[in-house]
Amino acid sequence: MSTGLPETIVVLDFGSQYAQLIVRRVREQHVYSVLMPHDAPEDQVMALSPVGFILSGGPASVYDEGAPQLPPYVLRSGLPVLGICYGMQLLAHALGGKVAPSARREYGPAELYVNDLESPLWEGLPFSFPVWMSHGDAIAELPPGFQTLASTDNSPIAAMGQAERRIYGVQFHPEVAHTPLGKDIIRNFLYGVCGCLGTWTPESFIASTIASIRQQVGDERVIGALSGGVDSTVAATLVQRAIGDRLTCVFVDHGLLREGEAEATLRLLRERAGLNVIAVDASARFLAALAGVSDPEAKRRIIGETFIRVFEGEAAKLGQARFLLQGTLYPDVIESTTRETKAAARIKTHHNVGGLPSDLRFELVEPLKYLFKDEVREVGLALGLPPDIVHKQPFPGPGLAVRIIGEVTAERLATLRRADAIVREEIEAAGLGREVWQYFAVLTPVRSVGVMGDGRTYLNTVAVRAVTSLDGMTADWARLPYAVLARISNRIVNEVPGVNRVVYDISSKPPATIEWE
Ligand code: XMP
């Protein structure tokens, strides 16, 4: 699917852990950006009609045998280039400068002193400011025609440039939060050096995506599984805007949703997002398939397979649809392209609610496959979707099954649902819903002795989990006020039959994960 977007910055990935971050920083400046492996074929890269290149950092040394090299088309293109860390060293090496191991490796914060205040890279920036360094090699000698643009105590050449050729290099990392003015440097490169116009906005994305969906789908029909989460809802809304009621959405209720969720989700999808949704209550089938199963991976597999069978049955009932809607996001695409750095991108299909298999004979429509999660939310808001969908907390595809440790039964589901509803009610009543990334209850298999009234009890333990996170990749346990925890605990033991103890999970991710299974 072509994005139809004019202004693209290609970030070439030389193995930096920050490569995705560079792409995000560029997009935050309203310029579209894509990440490509350093050894991607030239025609694939140039087909994107880039207006500039950013070369990422990387772990290698330019003199290492087999170290990734600067692809010749970068300089041949005559386009502006910004090399970051290893990217800068590659430029120096390729253009006749010298790279050598630094006398002292430099990791962490450093103060950068600007030598040439006239450089467009430093437009609007002070004479000195803190930057984040992480390198062993450094530029020992500038390439002919280049100027030193900035230094640190340990790196005499911490930034270099050649204004006529519009080639720049920085030894530090402008993309990380530890370089507080890094976004200004990236903006200067985009607007001051590449001459970007800033056309990447939710509105431009919506317009071009609707056009490309129309082109791809023609007069055919599309079906899609809708979970009610932000990705599938935004994806479906885009397709619906493009082709109207030739999109049919299937909402499979696997019976593993939270209290009241199936009804509320359907109402939102139909009445407020205006989608054409067929609802299937398959809860009995899922519960039967899960009977006697305790192993977390087995549960996930069973839920995934059952989901596919139910969806296939519905698709068959609906008749001919040539296309299948998927809510694949850009990080999934990047993951699959960087894993197979060579050849055309083989796209991993994102496994959401169990994951739809590749052997379903459909062509894929993936309107979000160039977006990061926060961009999906922005697009959702620009589409006019209600904030309760756009800011919904993430919920795992296998649902409450991965929050019940041990066997999933109707009774244990009922217990967890009640406890979970209390956790959500109290956190939302305290006005903490937006601050906390995810908050929920887990039903543990631990039973412990308690006393209620004058009698002994021997009942279940519920764990409360609440985490803060930016992307779900790392997380910390939320420092919920004691008063909120006290209310949650008190209400759960009083209102949920079968529970006499509540514990709060104070593990961060890593080493724990957010979900217990
Ligand atoms: P973990 O437990 O791996 O979770 O720290 C990270 C984030 O992913 C969510 N999650 C899932 N989402 N299908 C999904 O769509 C799944 O199978 C799944 N498992 C975990 C989890 O809720 C958290 O936001």
Side-chain angles (χ1 to χ4, degrees):
M1 188 174 74
S2 138
T3 64
L5 289 163
E7 255 179 10
T8 302
I9 293 287
V10 168
V11 176
L12 288 179
D13 184 4
F14 292 91
S16 167
Q17 51 174 326
Y18 303 129
Q20 276 197 43
L21 208 50
I22 303 173
V23 175
R24 300 183 65 147
R25 292 289 167 267
V26 173
R27 292 188 184 192
E28 281 163 16
Q29 303 292 337
H30 304 296
V31 175
Y32 184 60
S33 176
V34 289
L35 185 65
M36 298 295 276
H38 67 87
D39 54 357
E42 173 177 354
D43 54 352
Q44 223 179 68
V45 176
M46 296 314 287
L48 296 163
S49 309
V51 296
F53 288 102
I54 297 181
L55 315 175
S56 85
S61 169
V62 290
Y63 295 115
D64 286 349
E65 206 177 310
Q69 295 299 316
L70 182 67
Y73 64 81
V74 171
L75 295 176
R76 210 189 313 125
S77 71
L79 292 168
V81 187
L82 174 65
I84 295 175
C85 196
Y86 182 72
M88 177 200 199
Q89 295 158 14
L90 276 176
L91 285 170
H93 183 53
L95 291 163
K98 265 208 190 113
V99 178
S102 350
R104 271 199 278 164
R105 297 159 85 81
E106 206 178 4
Y107 290 102
E111 189 68 13
L112 187 85
Y113 300 97
V114 169
N115 299 16
D116 178 6
L117 273 169
E118 300 296 302
S119 170
L121 215 52
W122 312 135
E123 172 72 32
L125 294 176
F127 166 72
S128 85
F129 52 90
V131 296
W132 187 259
M133 288 286 194
S134 173
H135 64 111
D137 286 357
I139 311 295
E141 217 172 274
L142 285 172
F146 273 72
Q147 272 190 308
T148 299
L149 300 183
S151 321
T152 65
D153 288 344
N154 286 325
S155 297
I157 308 175
M160 65 175 196
Q162 220 283 9
E164 289 75 43
R165 294 181 70 180
R166 299 184 296 171
I167 297 177
Y168 293 88
V170 291
Q171 187 56 73
F172 58 91
H173 288 273
E175 70 276 25
V176 304
H178 300 294
T179 301
L181 297 178
K183 63 178 186 315
D184 300 85
I185 297 169
I186 289 173
R187 190 185 55 229
N188 285 340
F189 176 69
L190 300 174
Y191 290 90
V193 178
C194 301
C196 290
L197 299 172
T199 51
W200 173 249
T201 60
E203 290 73 20
S204 69
F205 170 82
I206 291 168
S208 64
T209 303
I210 287 176
S212 63
I213 293 169
R214 284 187 182 140
Q215 198 184 9
Q216 184 191 6
V217 173
D219 297 329
E220 304 278 344
R221 302 188 68 84
V222 181
I223 60 168
L226 203 53
S227 67
V230 57
D231 302 345
S232 65
T233 309
V234 171
T237 306
L238 282 165
V239 175
Q240 191 242 22
R241 297 273 164 99
I243 62 162
D245 61 10
R246 282 184 288 123
L247 166 70
T248 308
C249 302
V250 179
F251 174 78
V252 176
D253 179 2
H254 52 21
L256 305 167
L257 295 174
R258 292 165 287 192
E259 192 170 274
E261 192 172 17
E263 304 75 22
T265 302
L266 269 176
R267 230 183 0 257
L268 271 176
L269 294 175
R270 283 180 175 150
E271 292 168 19
R272 293 180 58 202
L275 294 166
N276 174 17
V277 189
I278 292 175
V280 189
D281 179 359
S283 43
R285 187 162 164 184
F286 278 87
L287 256 192
L290 285 167
V293 179
S294 296
D295 178 67
E297 281 312 301
K299 283 185 196 171
R300 279 177 185 268
R301 202 180 53 247
I302 289 168
I303 293 166
E305 282 167 9
T306 311
F307 184 86
I308 290 159
R309 299 288 89 87
V310 173
F311 184 81
E312 272 176 343
E314 290 308 308
K317 277 191 231 159
L318 286 168
Q320 284 308 307
R322 184 168 147 202
F323 293 94
L324 177 70
L325 174 63
Q326 291 267 274
T328 317
L329 299 191
Y330 196 45
D332 307 312
V333 177
I334 292 177
E335 199 187 308
S336 61
T337 49
T338 44
R339 236 192 250 143
E340 305 202 6
T341 55
K342 298 214 176 84
R346 196 184 70 188
I347 309 303
K348 178 188 83 171
T349 30
H350 180 55
H351 292 280
N352 210 344
V353 193
L356 293 171
S358 47
D359 65 354
L360 274 181
R361 262 179 264 122
F362 292 105
E363 288 170 47
L364 296 184
V365 178
E366 300 177 294
L368 308 181
K369 80 177 195 190
Y370 297 107
L371 298 190
F372 291 103
K373 187 86 179 185
D374 46 343
E375 293 174 319
V376 175
R377 292 207 169 95
E378 281 180 41
V379 168
L381 289 174
L383 283 166
L385 289 175
D388 18 356
I389 291 184
V390 174
H391 294 292
K392 199 169 179 180
Q393 62 168 306
F395 185 68
L400 299 182
V402 292
R403 295 178 180 173
I404 291 177
I405 313 308
E407 190 185 357
V408 180
T409 62
E411 189 193 355
R412 299 190 80 206
L413 268 169
T415 303
L416 178 59
R417 273 205 185 98
R418 211 52 292 281
D420 182 71
I422 291 169
V423 172
R424 287 191 292 142
E425 280 162 24
E426 290 301 332
I427 289 181
E428 280 152 27
L432 299 169
R434 282 279 177 93
E435 269 167 59
V436 184
W437 165 265
Q438 266 176 299
Y439 41 98
F440 53 88
V442 175
L443 183 59
T444 79
V446 173
R447 292 208 292 165
S448 71
V449 174
V451 52
M452 271 184 188
D454 289 328
R456 176 187 190 271
T457 60
Y458 186 55
L459 300 172
N460 289 298
T461 302
V462 160
V464 176
R465 182 81 162 133
V467 296
T468 53
S469 174
L470 285 176
D471 52 12
M473 302 298 286
T474 59
D476 196 7
W477 57 280
R479 273 37 170 195
L480 293 181
Y482 283 171
V484 175
L485 288 170
R487 268 197 305 279
I488 289 173
S489 165
N490 199 24
R491 281 193 60 198
I492 291 177
V493 291
N494 280 298
E495 295 176 30
V496 185
V499 179
N500 67 353
R501 193 176 293 268
V502 176
V503 296
Y504 188 45
D505 180 349
I506 53 167
S507 330
S508 62
K509 172 184 179 177
T513 53
I514 295 176
E515 303 291 345
W516 277 36
E517 285 194 341

